Amino acid sequence: MDIDDKVSTYLQTQQQHATPEFAQYFGEFEDLYERKIWHQLTTVVEKFINIPEAAPYRVGLYHEFVRDWQKHMNKVKLVLFALAAARQLDSISDAAEFMERIAGEVDKPESQEAFALASLESAHFKLLLNDLDATRETLEKSQRMIESFAHVDPVIYASFYRVCADYYKAKAAFGQYYKNALLLLACIDIQELSKEDRVQRAYDLAIAALLSDTIYNFGDLLSHPILDALKGTEHEWMISLLLAFNAGNIGKFEALIAQLQAQPLLVQQETFLQQKIRLMALIESMFKRQGTGARTISFGTVSAETKLPAGEIEHLVMKALSLGLIRGGIDQVDQQITVQWVQPRYLGKEQIRNLVERLAQWEGRVKDTAQRMSKTTPELFA
């Protein structure tokens, strides 16, 4: 069949002026369009727009080509193509308005997933314009929509968690940012992110973990490959800082305090960090004693391990109890703490070695007990 004159002119012009690699793509576009092989055409266009060097073509490709056959394609893909074009616009406000128009076009009963995606991406541009109210409103509506879908494309989950994470980052809600950023990483292949994006996301997650007043277990982050992005960068020391906090190692934390001076946000929260590292030290101290039979610990011992005056230990323990980090009680008369449960820990190599030693000690006690029982009550072991 003969293809539309405008489309034909556009594709042939691009073939003439593009690099050989890209000219081949435009030739394939023309061939598939002419033969009406829409699914394969969608796949090839998606591959093309994801090439970083193809960025200058994205706006023209969308308006001059994709729009012509959009009724034949998956509407989520259509929104992704529109988004690729929107990201090339000079004005963020223009990009927000453009995605809002796209959302209006796909707001139909059969394409509500695409509508949710377009709405979220429009909200993300509005967030860049610091329109937090509009962003929050869209997030709330989108969440209700997503929860009602029988099946959700991972790209929609990724968009939702990305906008949520960036919204909470703007609000300095560290705990919520941490949760949503990790959920985002679960929806995507992090290798598809640029090096700069991986470093920024890892850095933001590290900051959120440190400054959140609800996160005292860094296991999800420390075990995630996103942290590798910080290696070889100016922020590599933050991995050591996270490990120091996770182990409740006050000495290592104090050795890294000088590095904090380059991070204004951490400097502003140094008092909070001092309290948090001592809570982590308390948890680690209690955790090390679990399974040893020593469930009672004196204020003096806690004071030595947390480097706090004895008079401040009760307040520290009450804080840990209120946060649900430990369960137990305080004997104010005898200045002792009884611990019944400690929050599960992510174990580093040193902590694993300590656990192995504890297991060996436990094994030794079991053997000693069995030997004593066999001697005192031999009839039970006959």
Side-chain angles (χ1 to χ4, degrees):
M1 76 171 233
D2 291 331
I3 65 176
D4 181 270
D5 287 342
K6 287 182 61 178
V7 171
S8 176
T9 300
Y10 169 75
L11 293 176
Q12 290 175 11
T13 300
Q14 297 307 313
Q15 288 181 65
Q16 293 170 8
H17 294 93
T19 63
E21 178 190 1
F22 290 162
Q24 184 177 351
Y25 273 103
F26 284 105
E28 190 172 2
F29 295 161
E30 186 173 12
D31 175 60
L32 294 172
Y33 177 86
E34 184 176 24
R35 293 191 288 147
K36 297 185 179 181
I37 307 179
W38 308 122
H39 177 72
Q40 190 172 342
L41 178 56
T42 301
T43 301
V44 175
V45 170
E46 182 177 27
K47 181 180 178 182
F48 176 76
I49 66 169
N50 286 329
I51 300 173
E53 293 77 14
Y57 296 95
R58 290 171 185 166
V59 175
L61 186 70
Y62 178 80
H63 289 290
E64 302 297 333
F65 181 52
V66 171
R67 296 283 294 181
D68 185 81
W69 52 281
Q70 63 182 13
K71 65 181 179 181
H72 300 294
M73 75 173 68
N74 177 291
K75 295 304 179 286
V76 170
K77 297 294 186 184
L78 173 64
V79 172
L80 292 174
F81 295 167
L83 176 61
R87 288 173 173 164
Q88 302 307 310
L89 298 179
D90 295 331
S91 166
I92 295 176
S93 59
D94 287 347
E97 292 173 7
F98 176 65
M99 290 308 301
E100 201 162 0
R101 288 199 301 273
I102 298 300
E105 291 178 11
V106 297
D107 187 9
K108 299 174 182 177
E110 67 274 15
S111 56
Q112 285 299 288
E113 281 195 355
F115 172 62
L117 178 59
S119 298
L120 285 166
E121 294 302 340
S122 175
H124 192 252
F125 286 118
K126 291 177 182 177
L127 180 59
L128 296 177
L129 295 169
N130 205 36
D131 191 346
L132 299 179
D133 292 338
T135 303
R136 185 188 67 252
E137 183 179 347
T138 298
L139 285 172
E140 291 172 352
K141 290 180 179 178
S142 298
Q143 182 174 16
R144 291 193 294 269
M145 291 177 63
I146 292 171
E147 289 173 350
S148 71
F149 295 153
H151 168 77
V152 182
D153 192 308
V155 74
I156 298 173
Y157 274 130
S159 178
F160 176 74
Y161 291 131
R162 176 167 46 82
V163 179
C164 278
D166 290 350
Y167 170 77
Y168 288 119
K169 178 182 176 181
K171 297 279 288 184
F174 301 112
Q176 290 288 353
Y177 171 82
Y178 184 85
K179 171 187 173 182
N180 284 280
L182 284 175
L183 286 170
L184 165 63
L185 296 179
C187 297
I188 63 175
D189 179 357
I190 64 172
Q191 295 306 317
E192 293 180 358
L193 298 174
S194 68
K195 171 65 174 176
E196 293 75 15
D197 287 343
R198 292 198 300 275
V199 171
Q200 186 64 54
R201 191 64 71 180
Y203 171 79
D204 289 341
L205 275 164
I207 291 290
L210 292 166
L211 296 185
S212 171
D213 58 1
T214 60
I215 300 170
Y216 290 85
N217 187 335
F218 298 167
D220 289 336
L221 179 55
L222 288 172
S223 61
H224 201 288
I226 191 68
L227 270 190
D228 291 339
L230 296 180
K231 294 178 180 178
T233 73
E234 61 181 320
H235 304 305
E236 184 172 2
W237 63 274
M238 293 194 72
I239 299 176
S240 299
L241 185 61
L242 288 170
L243 290 169
F245 266 81
N246 190 70
N249 192 320
I250 297 174
K252 286 186 178 179
F253 167 69
E254 291 176 342
L256 290 166
I257 282 183
Q259 301 274 18
L260 266 61
Q261 304 309 310
Q263 310 296 331
L265 197 55
L266 295 181
V267 172
Q268 294 170 13
Q269 298 292 330
E270 186 173 343
T271 300
F272 169 77
L273 291 173
Q274 292 281 1
Q275 181 190 63
K276 185 166 184 173
I277 189 65
R278 281 160 176 79
L279 279 167
M280 301 290 265
L282 173 66
I283 300 169
E284 182 66 17
S285 175
M286 302 299 186
F287 182 78
K288 286 190 296 186
R289 288 171 170 78
Q290 293 293 295
T292 65
R295 292 182 175 270
T296 301
I297 180 172
S298 69
F299 278 23
T301 300
V302 175
S303 174
E305 296 189 1
T306 62
K307 299 185 179 181
L308 278 177
E312 297 182 23
I313 298 304
E314 184 177 348
H315 179 267
L316 181 72
V317 175
M318 289 178 66
K319 181 72 173 178
L321 289 167
S322 68
L323 288 170
L325 304 178
I326 61 173
R327 295 175 193 159
I330 302 173
D331 185 336
Q332 295 174 317
V333 176
D334 293 333
Q335 298 281 284
Q336 289 184 334
I337 305 153
T338 301
V339 181
Q340 300 165 343
W341 176 88
V342 180
Q343 182 189 71
R345 313 293 297 137
Y346 171 84
L347 303 181
K349 291 181 180 179
E350 184 176 343
Q351 291 165 298
I352 291 174
R353 282 194 292 269
N354 291 335
L355 182 59
V356 170
E357 291 176 4
R358 285 168 48 194
L359 288 172
Q361 293 170 4
W362 175 80
E363 181 184 21
R365 290 198 302 273
V366 170
K367 287 181 178 179
D368 289 344
T369 301
Q371 289 173 357
R372 287 198 301 272
M373 290 183 66
S374 66
K375 290 178 180 179
T376 56
T377 56
E379 64 276 7
L380 294 177
F381 294 85

